Amino acid sequence: MPIPTRRVIGVIVISQVPRTDGAQRDFVLRLFYFLKANMTLKTTPLNAAHRAMGAKMVDFGGWDMPVNYGSQIDEHHQVRNDAGMFDVCHMRVVDVKGANVRNFLCYLLANNANKITLPGKALYSAMLRPDGGVIDDLIIYFMTEDWFRIVVNAGTADKDIAWMKEQAAAHMPTLTITSRDDLAMVAVQGPNARAKVWQVLPQTQTATEGLQNFQAADCGEYFIARTGYTGEDGFEVMLPKEKVEAFWYDLNKAGVAPIGLGARDTLRLEAGMNLYGQDMDETVGPLESGLAWTVDLKSERDFIGKAALLANPPTQKLAGLLLLDRGVLRGHQKVHTPHGIGEITSGSFSPTLEKSIALARVPVDVAIGDTVQVAIRDKMLNAQVVKYPFARNGKSCL
Amino acid sequence: MSNPSNLKYTASHEWVKTEADGTVSVGITQHAQGLLGDMVFVEAPAVGRHLKAKEECAVVESVKAAADVYAPVSGTVTEINAALDSSPEDINNDPYGAWMFKLKPDNGADVDALLDAAAYQAVIDSEAH
């Protein structure tokens, strides 16, 4: 069997390789290895810690990252039932500072930065091209009227910052946009995650125990946000790079298990959260990507991409699928519906439901409750269109 | 875990065990299951199907990936391990016990020509570089 014989193929890459015949697949793999051989992977400050903890490392978009430390299903349940920690140092923190920064973000982003007025409050948004394509999805934190913090995806960070700087130069040249390469980030997630963080960083408890969901506190060296990518309660902690390894080991001593990218992917998929590059990218708009709830088309506010969204009503949408037959849904499998053909954007096995689930881009007329057929190898398997999220806070939502 | 010396192997990470009745059981190796991770689905070939050596004949799916299983030698499928339908994780827990299907080889000498444990280990070692 052709299996990923070197550590270089990760969960995301494999699930995206369309199924081909053996010869084509071997060619793709050989090409991949050839390209790989001349590349150096980037590492986070926790790289040695991952190896010491027995991680299986993979190439994740050019970063040498842990895919799992043992059983990825056990890691998944650990987060749903207790607490787990994720190395998210590859993601990028960007500080935008200056007078009227709020007005700039109102123009830059599809969601409305005016919604966040409580200090520390966070907002999830897409950043769009003028044609409506999604440049990235990100979280912004309102700190003061002259400081917003933004966290962007790893693979898109450089292009995001270039775009932000280009827009600032054109519309608000007094702003400063700083990539905080001095910061590391760890996500601690699960029903017991906050208590574990307080155990390790007791000095931050007073400032963070009153945080609402999607709100952050600046605790000096530690910036602590009640956000995450798992559908569980918890914190994302930004801290100086040189302190992150000690923080990681302290959390582990407090009973927080390290969790790899494999479980991160099944947790976020169950929680119905998009993965950039897979569920959306620059070729599709937010309304075709399940992000209508983050796009403010009602207010007078103009933003980049708004005119294109208004001019082009979506013909497709993102839907949740639950596989009724035996098998596993994967990215790029075709979905046959009474209204036309769609395609799975993210699919996997759900450890919480013990069934296969997926997000799929399908014609807009497909409705919840419809049965559709997914082409898997030489079979057509039945799946039901379901409302997502699939699971959150330890429980099935279906 | 080392690879049992009483089994034969393929470079594509199947193991082959000759049974007393002349059939061979086929599974995937410790190395293969370790790379694929938690198994969640197995699709075995139909009993009675004739397979050619190196033909794609079964699929194992872990949480993170799907992988083909190739027929190690030409032969006819005589039995499949139905227990893997409900507990595919047996492949992770006991890779050399969790056989996927049994074949009656067209030619017994084909089995002798497969890799022994040392030669298979050399394949794994060469892939690590």
Side-chain angles (χ1 to χ4, degrees):
Chain A
M1 16 173 274
I3 51 171
T5 50
R6 303 175 204 201
R7 298 185 315 246
V8 289
I9 299 188
V11 49
I12 308 306
V13 174
I14 289 177
S15 61
Q16 283 192 322
V17 173
R19 202 170 169 85
T20 54
D21 68 44
Q24 284 173 307
R25 198 165 43 241
D26 287 349
F27 173 75
V28 168
L29 283 173
R30 273 207 305 279
L31 181 65
F32 188 76
Y33 290 136
F34 174 77
L35 294 172
K36 236 43 264 182
N38 297 311
M39 276 177 62
T40 308
L41 295 181
K42 288 177 274 192
T43 58
T44 76
L46 292 171
N47 195 272
H50 297 318
R51 291 171 184 281
M53 289 177 167
K56 185 187 294 291
M57 305 296 287
V58 297
D59 174 0
F60 181 72
W63 290 83
D64 188 42
M65 298 297 284
V67 66
N68 57 262
Y69 302 79
S71 161
Q72 117 172 44
I73 291 178
D74 289 351
E75 290 171 21
H76 181 108
H77 293 311
Q78 170 75 18
V79 173
R80 287 266 178 263
N81 300 324
D82 186 1
M85 58 185 178
F86 303 78
D87 177 2
V88 284
C89 295
H90 57 313
M91 296 184 73
R92 197 82 66 85
V93 181
V94 182
D95 280 335
V96 186
K97 293 189 172 181
N100 299 315
V101 55
R102 181 188 290 281
N103 291 344
F104 173 69
L105 294 175
C106 279
Y107 175 68
L108 183 74
L109 303 175
N111 209 341
N112 189 348
N114 284 329
K115 287 180 187 168
I116 46 175
T117 52
L118 189 65
K121 198 71 186 154
L123 184 74
Y124 172 78
S125 182
M127 180 163 72
L128 305 180
R129 292 156 44 109
D131 68 3
V134 181
I135 295 173
D136 200 6
D137 64 333
L138 44 80
I139 290 179
I140 64 170
Y141 298 91
F142 161 60
M143 303 313 296
T144 66
E145 286 302 337
D146 54 13
W147 173 30
F148 278 68
R149 171 160 285 184
I150 307 182
V151 177
V152 301
N153 282 304
T156 48
D158 290 337
K159 95 173 168 175
D160 290 351
I161 292 168
W163 176 254
M164 290 174 192
K165 286 187 171 171
E166 185 185 329
Q167 296 309 313
H171 301 283
M172 211 171 281
T174 54
L175 292 179
T176 60
I177 296 174
T178 310
S179 175
R180 294 295 305 269
D181 301 349
D182 54 319
L183 294 181
M185 181 153 59
V186 172
V188 191
Q189 302 278 292
N192 300 323
R194 292 190 305 147
K196 299 289 187 186
V197 170
W198 293 328
Q199 197 178 320
V200 171
L201 300 175
Q203 72 276 22
T204 66
Q205 181 165 355
T206 308
T208 58
E209 62 190 352
L211 289 178
Q212 301 170 5
N213 193 25
F214 252 65
Q215 189 185 11
D218 185 14
C219 311
E221 285 190 313
Y222 298 92
F223 182 98
I224 299 181
R226 197 171 176 189
T227 49
Y229 194 49
T230 61
E232 296 298 323
D233 197 0
F235 285 141
E236 290 180 301
V237 180
M238 298 165 216
L239 69 169
K241 264 186 178 164
E242 56 276 13
K243 299 216 163 179
V244 71
E245 191 175 45
F247 180 54
W248 183 263
Y249 278 112
D250 287 348
L251 284 167
N252 192 232
K253 275 186 212 122
V256 181
I259 312 294
L261 291 173
R264 184 169 170 82
D265 193 52
T266 50
L267 287 159
R268 71 90 194 169
L269 180 60
E270 284 185 353
M273 295 171 170
N274 287 17
L275 174 61
Y276 189 82
Q278 208 164 301
D279 301 306
M280 74 288 203
D281 58 29
E282 294 197 355
T283 68
V284 291
L287 307 181
E288 287 102 35
S289 308
L291 299 179
W293 62 279
T294 71
V295 180
D296 160 43
L297 288 173
K298 292 192 184 114
S299 73
E300 295 286 300
R301 178 183 68 103
D302 189 27
F303 60 86
I304 298 171
K306 183 180 184 182
L309 296 185
L310 289 172
N312 304 296
T315 59
Q316 293 187 301
K317 66 178 180 183
L318 215 57
L321 298 183
L322 177 70
L323 185 64
L324 301 174
D325 294 327
R326 295 183 62 249
V328 184
L329 302 170
R330 306 282 183 189
H332 298 293
Q333 289 168 348
K334 297 284 182 250
V335 181
H336 296 256
T337 83
H339 307 282
I341 298 211
E343 184 174 313
I344 290 179
T345 55
S346 288
S348 190
F349 174 81
S350 158
T352 303
L353 304 179
E354 296 189 311
K355 288 184 172 166
S356 183
I357 58 172
L359 296 176
R361 187 165 285 111
V362 297
V364 281
D365 290 335
V366 171
I368 287 164
D370 284 358
T371 298
V372 297
Q373 281 73 44
V374 181
I376 302 182
R377 293 183 283 276
D378 55 348
K379 297 193 173 73
M380 295 291 272
L381 301 186
N382 290 306
Q384 187 168 36
V385 179
V386 297
K387 192 166 184 282
Y388 64 92
F390 305 92
R392 278 194 183 197
N393 299 311
K395 291 194 291 283
S396 167
C397 303
L398 299 181
Chain B
M1 191 197 299
S2 64
N3 300 306
S5 58
N6 61 325
L7 304 182
K8 290 288 195 173
Y9 300 88
T10 66
S12 51
H13 309 286
E14 291 87 13
W15 59 258
V16 178
K17 181 182 177 193
T18 302
E19 304 289 350
D21 63 1
T23 63
V24 294
S25 342
V26 180
I28 67 167
T29 65
Q30 160 73 9
H31 176 72
Q33 70 79 24
L35 285 168
L36 288 163
D38 294 327
M39 291 297 170
V40 293
F41 177 67
V42 175
E43 190 177 293
V47 171
R49 179 174 157 193
H50 184 264
L51 305 175
K52 282 190 201 135
K54 300 189 178 171
E55 180 180 350
E56 292 172 6
C57 63
V59 176
V60 288
E61 298 212 31
S62 67
V63 182
K64 65 184 176 194
D68 292 311
V69 178
Y70 293 145
V73 294
S74 297
T76 304
V77 179
T78 59
E79 194 179 348
I80 61 165
N81 183 358
L84 294 180
D85 278 1
S86 54
S87 53
E89 66 275 12
D90 290 355
I91 293 173
N92 301 115
N93 298 333
D94 182 17
Y96 295 114
W99 58 279
M100 295 177 59
F101 57 90
K102 290 186 183 176
L103 277 182
K104 178 153 187 51
D106 291 349
N107 180 357
D110 291 349
V111 178
D112 300 333
L114 296 172
L115 304 175
D116 64 15
Y120 175 61
Q121 187 59 46
V123 169
I124 298 174
D125 293 344
S126 73
E127 285 181 350
H129 299 295

